[in-house]
Structure formats: structure tokens, C-alpha cells
Amino acid sequence: MPQTLLLRLPPPGQEETEWLVMDDAGDAGTTRQRGSLTLAAAVSRTGKVVALAPSTQILLAEPELPPGSGVKLARAVPFALEEHLTEDIDHLTFAVGRRRPGGATPVAAVSRAVLQGWISDMEAAGLEPLAIYPDISLMPENPAQTVLWLERERLAVRRPGALPFAVELSPVSEALVVAGVIADPLDTAGELKVPENAVLYVTREDWARSQQEFERLAEKFDSLKVQLLPDGPLPWLARGLDSGDAVNLLQGEFARTSDFGTRWRQ
């Protein structure tokens, strides 16, 4: 049976990756594994390869874009994102997602050198990715709750109808304030913030580290539900592969001959 190797690329400063092998029905055939990219390649030599990249190195946005598609739309993206960019446009590569029902179109920007580095590392290990997605883009969307994902010092947030974003900050209370999830206790002159209903996804290790702080902040939420990820976040993220919301970074000069997203949903 055809398989898909789903792996997470390590963030800067780390070398180990993690992966799991899935069948075409989206079911994980093995438990999550860790090791080098070379070891991951040895596990699945004949399957498709899909990579999740650290979103801290990727800009996700929904700018105002003109009607249309294809080359015309792709050419408009760099100018639509210009005010959000801190790097020269010529050093970046851009990717366009599927237009959402409300008319907004998710786009991604990443350093050309960073993306090429990810591809080169995988190819050196014998892996040829069909798609590379920002990891947080596979977070589920909940129509009634703000979805939170805490992983070490990174807090990812996805509100109903909005793109996910991430904040790297410690302690958790400061990350929640910067992300706008809870009110800033120092902002006494601002408008009163309406408490949010939220669900937090977190590993046992990260929950053990942050539980006391979240319990202290519980009154800042209208409700807060905690969902532990006993096998880590990868199996949870894998469920988002068939949603069609994630932006594949392999477009333009980096495009592959096969559209993985379309093949997965067939």
C-alpha cells in the first residue's frame, strides 16, 4: 500500500527530526519516531514525503489580493505583503494557498535561502518532498473556540475564521498577552477585553512545565479546556493534511511536478 512519510523539519539549533508513516487513508502505520533525516529516509524509501517546516521562519498572511489566479495572482503577492516584510523581496519566495469561502487568500513568504536549505538537507538524505507546509498551518480550526498549541517556548494561536500565528516568548502569561488571548494587566486605559473560550493542545512534558501558570491564569478565560498530546503534536497535525487550508511552500521555482494537496484529497 502506498505510504506517506510525514516529517517535521527541526528548528534552528536542532538536528533531530521526527516523523511518522501514514497510509493513503491518512492512518498512521507506526508510532512517531525521532532521529536524523537519513534514518527517516531509510524508513520509507518508496513513499511520498511531506515536510512540516518551523513556522517561526515563515510569514503567513491574508492580504488584499486582486481577483484571478495563476501567474497574475502570484505576481501581486509580494507587493500586497510589502508592509509586513523585513527582508528584501528579492531574497524571498512566495506561495499562494486556496481562496477561502469568504474571499480571503492565505499566502506565505519565506527566505529563498532557508527554503533551499530545507530542500537540500532532505535531498542529501535521499528524500524528495512533494510538499512543505508551515507546521502551524495544520492546526485545526474550531468554530467556537480559540485553539492554542504550546510547544516549549512557542505559543501558536488559531481563532475561528483566521490564519494561525505563533509567538515565541516566556513566560506563558506574556506570550498570551502579546498574542491578544488574555488582557494586558498593565493596559488599564484600554477597552475591556472579552474573555475567550479556548482549547489548549500540549504534550505531557510541556503541560507539567506550564500547568501551574495556566491554572493561575484560568480566570482570564471564559473557559479553557486542555487536550494532552500523549504521542506529541505530529499525529494531531497529520489530521489537517486533507483540510486544504495549508499553503504548500513548493511553488514557483521550487514547484514539484505533482500537486500533493490535490492527490491527497482524491
Side-chain angles (χ1 to χ4, degrees), residues 127 169 210:
L127 296 165
L169 193 62
S210 60

Side-chain angles (χ1 to χ4, degrees), residues 20-52:
L20 53 79
V21 178
M22 307 170 63
D23 61 30
D24 271 4
D27 297 324
T30 62
T31 56
R32 176 180 58 115
Q33 302 178 62
R34 296 185 65 88
S36 65
L37 286 172
T38 303
L39 183 57
V43 170
S44 181
R45 291 192 174 276
T46 60
K48 297 172 290 189
V49 179
V50 177
L52 304 184

Side-chain angles (χ1 to χ4, degrees), residues 130-201:
L130 288 177
I132 300 179
Y133 299 118
D135 56 3
I136 63 172
S137 66
L138 295 189
M139 289 175 63
E141 181 180 349
N142 189 312
Q145 293 177 303
T146 297
V147 178
L148 306 176
W149 170 26
L150 180 68
E151 187 175 43
R152 301 182 184 89
E153 306 301 321
R154 187 186 73 167
L155 177 73
V157 180
R158 184 164 197 177
R159 291 189 171 90
L163 287 179
F165 64 93
V167 175
E168 278 199 296
L169 193 62
S170 182
V172 170
S173 57
E174 292 189 18
L176 289 167
V177 168
V178 170
V181 177
I182 64 173
D184 185 349
L186 300 180
D187 185 13
T188 56
E191 293 184 7
L192 186 65
K193 176 174 173 51
V194 178
E196 298 189 31
N197 293 298
V199 54
L200 170 67
Y201 291 88

Side-chain angles (χ1 to χ4, degrees), residues 109-131:
V110 62
S111 163
R112 182 176 280 106
V114 168
L115 181 55
Q116 184 59 66
W118 290 331
I119 295 171
S120 297
D121 288 345
M122 284 187 280
E123 289 180 342
L127 296 165
E128 184 178 352
L130 288 177

Side-chain angles (χ1 to χ4, degrees), residues 171-174 210-220:
V172 170
S173 57
E174 292 189 18
S210 60
Q211 180 177 0
Q212 288 187 349
E213 190 164 11
F214 272 105
E215 289 176 346
R216 180 173 58 83
L217 296 169
E219 63 181 15
K220 303 288 186 180

